[in-house]
Amino acid sequence: MRHLLPGTIAARGMALGRARLVQPSRYAVDTRPLADEEIEGELENLHRALDMARQELRDLRGKLQGALAREVNEFIDAHSLLLDDAELLRGLDELVRVGHYRAGAALKKQREKLSAMFEAMDDPYLRSRKEDVEQVINRVIAALQRQTSPEERKLAARVGEILIADSIAPADMAQLAGNGLLGVVASSGSAYSHSAILARSLGLPMLVGTRDALSHIHDDDLLLLDAERGEAVVHPAAQDLARYRAWQREAVIEGRRLALLANAPTRTRDGLDIRLLANAESPADVALARTRGADGVGLYRTEFLFLRHKDLPSEDEQFIAYRDLVLGMGGLPVTIRTLDLGADKADAAGLVMQGEENPALGVRGVRLSLRYPAVFSTQIRAILRAACYGPVRVLVPMVTQPDELIAVRTLFKLARQELKRENIDLPEKLPLGAMIEVPAAAINVRALIEHADFLAIGTNDLAQYVLAADRGNDALDNIYSPLQPALLRVLSHVIGAGRRAGKPVSLCGEIGGDVNFTALLLALGLCEFSMHPGQILLVRDRLATLDRSALRHHAPRLLRAHTHEQVAALLAEISDAAA
Ligand code: PEP
Ligand code: MG
């Protein structure tokens, strides 16, 4: 019988398909003890499954491209490392060899033991690693299952399905999207999680927080995922199907209409020109940025070069990547961000400090780069050489205070002198900008502005530091909202300080490309938005409907709000009036 399950929209759209429940814990595990002569064979099964899981992760890495590949690749790397963890492997072997456990039972036992261990940790970051451990072990269990049950192998490749899960790891989502997955209904999770960001970039409709999904939906139920209204309809009726068909027709027309905007100027309804920049890091992003009519690259994340290999990337390797980016943008300005490792972005070469008690507040971003002047100078030389091929700006991440910018400038000066001595071509002076993502940098922005040529606000980090709330932690959903008044006041302060000093201010966090926040950012005075290139047409379209001066007029009311609920209500009221 038809029934509705409400959920929170994480990625808009609709999908009609068969439900596929993912509950790896449902796999029946054979608990009969092994006979002595079965042990070697079972160890082989176990290691084959581990190899399959490793290979799956490698394949995933090879398939992913684009700005979001960086996000997903971090998870893949973390999971790959876990799969090679000596302690985990030793523990599993012992369970089979000494405890006579079958492979599935051994994996389950280890999963329970490690989960309990992480669960008991005081540090919330380490506690959150429990999810990683479970996802990795579940991947191995699934691989084991595929060896023994051909049915499971088929499941992995079935198309036309909507995934129903408690939560889904970004790497799995990417893999399933490549296998024809239509959408995701998660019973937990947040709209700001990495998986939600990935779903938006892949164009997969997704609901999170659909509390009863796993108990009220069954395998093969026909399901209408309506991530426009925020509900999953189990056994949809004729009126639901009619609504879905109407949406499909609209989506085609909308797609054609948006395509026409690729060469249109970006202008608000009252005629203010806005700059739309791309967050790009691969040739595919650059190509998309060009076809969508981006005004340049507002954020080029250089970490990905350091996340791939165990060795540090050479100056030439970096130079070629940066030069190709500059050439690819055909004379439009490109903003290269210096290395932003640390916290959740661990490099393969081991630059990131190990054992920090609180890595998100530790040696990350420019703090880390300045600890390794030789590594940093290599990157700076590569940037300087690439900047001979077109307009380049340099952006410094995680700046807290002016001395960091001064130190970076000094390193640039020294690198210039060196290159000059080597008779290597040098570009004109490069603008140097600061990312504003640390609350201290935002509050004391006037001190930084004296040393920066431009600012780029990183709201992903700024929001989590202002609110002291990890954006991936769905237990904090009611706190981590970009509409929090404290965050709005900080944004308004930074944008205003930039305007008064005559220095450009862009915003390159996720909300820059989310049309739900376009009116808000215009109201706060933002004129430069940087986003995943796939969002450019949508934001251009939205801007054309908004009256910027009417929105600016309402800014004081927004800034006086006391709660994010009040901001949401006000925003709905004023965006309707300004649209
Ligand atoms: C940000 O923090 O908003 C940002 C753009 O940087 P990253 O997401 O790379 O940390
Ligand atoms: Mg950041």
Side-chain angles (χ1 to χ4, degrees), residues 418-549:
E418 241 177 55
L419 288 169
K420 194 164 178 201
R421 278 197 299 276
E422 294 166 30
N423 279 329
I424 294 178
D425 268 356
L426 278 169
E428 315 258 285
K429 190 173 171 293
L430 303 190
L432 185 75
M435 287 276 299
I436 302 295
E437 45 190 350
V438 174
I443 294 164
N444 193 20
V445 68
R446 272 177 301 188
L448 285 178
I449 265 185
E450 286 176 23
H451 301 274
D453 301 307
F454 67 98
L455 305 175
I457 308 176
T459 39
N460 303 341
D461 276 316
L462 185 59
Q464 74 169 347
Y465 291 132
V466 165
L467 303 166
D470 181 343
R471 72 178 184 198
N473 187 339
D474 60 341
L476 303 174
D477 258 6
N478 64 331
I479 297 177
Y480 189 99
S481 159
L483 300 181
Q484 284 279 9
L487 183 65
L488 302 197
R489 281 174 223 164
V490 169
L491 292 180
S492 164
H493 174 67
V494 174
I495 296 167
R499 192 179 49 248
R500 282 190 293 280
K503 307 246 167 126
V505 180
S506 64
L507 185 147
C508 55
E510 278 301 308
I511 61 171
D514 185 336
V515 290
N516 293 313
F517 300 102
T518 311
L520 174 75
L521 297 175
L522 266 190
L524 297 179
L526 190 76
C527 297
E528 275 188 27
F529 297 62
S530 192
M531 65 201 70
H532 184 274
Q535 297 301 111
I536 286 179
L537 298 184
L538 292 167
V539 175
R540 181 172 291 144
D541 188 42
R542 178 87 180 119
L543 283 164
T545 66
L546 294 169
D547 185 326
R548 197 249 189 183
S549 43

Side-chain angles (χ1 to χ4, degrees), residues 259-265 290-293 537 540:
L260 295 176
L261 291 179
N263 299 314
R290 296 295 302 275
T291 57
R292 299 291 157 94
L537 298 184
R540 181 172 291 144

Side-chain angles (χ1 to χ4, degrees), residues 203-524:
L204 273 187
M206 179 178 185
L207 292 179
V208 294
T210 316
R211 298 272 166 236
D212 297 323
L214 282 165
S215 50
H216 284 61
I217 304 177
H218 304 100
D219 269 339
D220 291 320
D221 278 351
L222 186 68
L223 191 74
L224 176 65
L225 164 52
D226 187 343
E228 294 292 334
R229 288 190 177 186
E231 59 195 26
V233 189
V234 192
H235 303 305
Q239 84 264 20
D240 300 308
L241 300 179
R243 192 167 85 246
Y244 173 61
R245 283 195 300 275
W247 174 84
Q248 276 186 314
R249 280 195 297 274
E250 280 280 305
V252 171
I253 297 169
E254 183 65 0
R256 287 199 195 116
R257 193 181 66 77
L258 283 177
L260 295 176
L261 291 179
N263 299 314
T266 309
R267 199 163 284 156
T268 60
R269 206 178 71 202
D270 53 333
L272 180 79
D273 284 326
I274 300 288
R275 277 164 62 78
L276 295 190
L277 305 163
N279 294 351
E281 65 189 42
S282 72
D285 296 334
V286 172
L288 195 59
R290 296 295 302 275
T291 57
R292 299 291 157 94
D295 293 306
V297 167
L299 172 65
Y300 178 74
R301 293 178 166 108
T302 56
E303 301 78 78
F304 77 100
L305 284 166
F306 293 73
L307 297 170
R308 275 190 200 155
H309 311 296
K310 284 223 162 19
D311 303 324
L312 290 168
S314 67
E315 180 182 319
D316 276 349
E317 201 179 329
Q318 295 187 60
F319 159 66
I320 289 166
Y322 308 154
R323 183 203 58 192
D324 289 351
L325 164 77
V326 174
L327 292 177
M329 286 308 289
L332 293 170
V334 163
T335 311
I336 299 180
R337 184 172 76 181
T338 62
L339 196 52
D340 185 23
L341 288 175
D344 56 343
K345 287 180 235 168
D347 63 314
L351 290 178
V352 172
M353 306 262 152
Q354 298 299 311
E356 282 185 303
E357 290 245 327
N358 199 342
L361 304 181
V363 182
R364 60 167 294 199
V366 69
R367 304 169 182 181
L368 185 86
S369 295
L370 289 173
R371 286 201 176 211
Y372 294 99
V375 176
F376 198 12
S377 297
T378 304
Q379 176 169 52
I380 289 172
R381 283 173 57 102
I383 294 174
L384 282 168
R385 287 170 57 197
C388 295
Y389 295 83
V392 167
R393 311 192 299 176
V394 178
L395 182 59
V396 186
M398 281 296 287
V399 174
T400 310
Q401 51 194 26
D403 63 1
E404 292 159 330
L405 281 179
I406 295 168
V408 176
R409 273 200 199 280
T410 306
L411 287 175
F412 265 90
K413 205 165 138 202
L414 292 173
R416 272 180 179 279
Q417 286 165 359
E418 241 177 55
L419 288 169
K420 194 164 178 201
R421 278 197 299 276
E422 294 166 30
N423 279 329
I424 294 178
D425 268 356
L426 278 169
E428 315 258 285
K429 190 173 171 293
L430 303 190
L432 185 75
M435 287 276 299
I436 302 295
E437 45 190 350
V438 174
I443 294 164
N444 193 20
V445 68
R446 272 177 301 188
L448 285 178
I449 265 185
E450 286 176 23
H451 301 274
D453 301 307
F454 67 98
L455 305 175
I457 308 176
T459 39
N460 303 341
D461 276 316
L462 185 59
Q464 74 169 347
Y465 291 132
V466 165
L467 303 166
D470 181 343
R471 72 178 184 198
N473 187 339
D474 60 341
L476 303 174
D477 258 6
N478 64 331
I479 297 177
Y480 189 99
S481 159
L483 300 181
Q484 284 279 9
L487 183 65
L488 302 197
R489 281 174 223 164
V490 169
L491 292 180
S492 164
H493 174 67
V494 174
I495 296 167
R499 192 179 49 248
R500 282 190 293 280
K503 307 246 167 126
V505 180
S506 64
L507 185 147
C508 55
E510 278 301 308
I511 61 171
D514 185 336
V515 290
N516 293 313
F517 300 102
T518 311
L520 174 75
L521 297 175
L522 266 190
L524 297 179

